[in-house]
Amino acid sequence: MNAAVKVLSQVCVALALMIGASALSHAEHVILCGGPALKKWEGFRVPAERHDNWWANFVRASTIRVSHIQQKDPKAKITWIVFKPGYVTRGKEDKKPYIRWITDLAKKYKIKLVWVNTSEQAIKAINKAPRKKGEKIESFYYFGHSNCYAFMLDYGNDIMAISTQYIHINHFDKFDKNVFAKDADCRSYGCYTGEYMTYIWKQYFGIPLWGNTKSTQYGPVSSGRLPSGGGKWVH
């Protein structure tokens, strides 16, 4: 009897692990990646205040996040939404094939790459991220420029120190609230979102958005770590 009970217990544990793994694989993880500033504009700043000396700050942060997800669940569904115009123009400036390199990275990690040209397309891509009816976004991470009111997808690219493609708090009503899981892990690695956006996000979506109250530093990505913040991480 004891042997039978032991075998049954082992079977139950195995089934539980299989069900848990299956549940993990149904999670949809979304990464929104903004574009870099152009050096021709940043060259007007004093060296200490220049942005995006390295073109791939947001791209590298994205792949670090992908690695973290896949370490926990190798079969996780990941949608990588990238603001294309920023990498087209920076690629021309640097004379490098950044669009091809980003496409190759998506293939390497076996994730879904969605190019967007506008903030409106980015919102639509997030709304459509879940691939099957009933699925939800389990995590949402933003890597890019921002201020306390908006994700700025093209800051310093088309015009110096200006963004024309942004997701402002006034645009939250364009999102499908139901696209996020009730316990979704949402984080912004843009500057200053912790000052105000995180508050409005929680009010509108009913889930926390972690953000920093000061500027974020992307130096740590060169060591395989997510960006750090100069202030407090709040939600």
Side-chain angles (χ1 to χ4, degrees):
M1 181 63 72
N2 289 338
V5 170
K6 184 177 180 180
V7 171
L8 181 60
S9 176
Q10 291 174 339
V11 170
C12 289
V13 170
L15 286 172
L17 290 173
M18 290 173 62
I19 292 171
S22 176
L24 281 174
S25 65
H26 288 305
E28 184 71 45
H29 301 273
V30 174
I31 299 168
L32 176 59
C33 178
L38 294 185
K39 291 187 291 185
K40 72 175 183 178
W41 300 128
E42 294 302 301
F44 290 111
R45 300 178 188 268
V46 297
E49 295 179 357
R50 290 172 186 169
H51 298 90
D52 307 330
N53 292 315
W54 186 38
W55 74 275
N57 281 329
F58 308 141
V59 170
R60 178 61 182 129
S62 296
T63 57
I64 291 171
R65 172 59 183 159
V66 169
S67 296
H68 289 172
I69 295 169
Q70 293 181 338
Q71 286 169 10
K72 293 183 178 180
D73 180 10
K75 295 182 179 180
K77 296 178 181 179
I78 303 172
T79 296
W80 189 19
I81 303 170
V82 183
F83 183 70
K84 188 175 184 178
Y87 295 96
V88 171
T89 53
R90 182 66 184 260
K92 290 179 179 178
E93 185 178 60
D94 293 347
K95 296 181 173 57
K96 302 289 184 181
Y98 294 146
I99 297 301
R100 178 166 60 81
W101 289 357
I102 292 171
T103 301
D104 289 344
L105 283 170
K107 291 178 180 178
K108 173 185 175 181
Y109 287 98
K110 298 178 180 179
I111 60 177
K112 182 180 179 180
L113 172 61
V114 179
W115 292 108
V116 296
N117 297 311
T118 65
S119 56
E120 184 176 357
Q121 289 178 1
I123 293 172
K124 288 181 178 178
I126 294 169
N127 287 340
K128 294 180 179 179
R131 305 178 200 189
K132 292 182 179 180
K133 185 177 180 180
E135 293 183 350
K136 303 285 186 179
I137 294 174
E138 297 293 327
S139 74
F140 169 77
Y141 278 50
Y142 172 70
F143 300 106
H145 292 291
S146 69
N147 60 26
C148 61
Y149 301 109
F151 298 142
M152 300 187 292
L153 301 180
D154 67 334
Y155 180 80
N157 192 283
D158 187 39
I159 304 171
M160 180 180 175
I162 296 293
S163 175
T164 61
Q165 295 299 324
Y166 49 85
I167 299 176
H168 193 273
I169 56 175
N170 290 339
H171 297 156
F172 284 175
D173 60 358
K174 296 182 179 180
F175 284 94
D176 177 0
K177 286 184 180 181
N178 297 318
V179 78
F180 294 99
K182 292 182 179 179
D183 58 349
D185 176 21
C186 300
R187 298 175 187 263
S188 167
Y189 285 90
C191 299
Y192 303 106
T193 45
E195 283 192 349
Y196 191 63
M197 180 186 280
T198 53
Y199 171 73
I200 300 300
W201 179 283
K202 190 170 185 179
Q203 274 196 328
Y204 184 79
F205 293 103
I207 52 177
L209 171 71
W210 286 92
N212 202 273
T213 56
K214 300 296 181 182
S215 62
T216 49
Q217 291 87 41
Y218 276 76
V221 303
S222 61
S223 302
R225 295 178 287 116
L226 290 176
S228 60
K232 295 181 180 179
W233 291 100
V234 298
H235 61 87

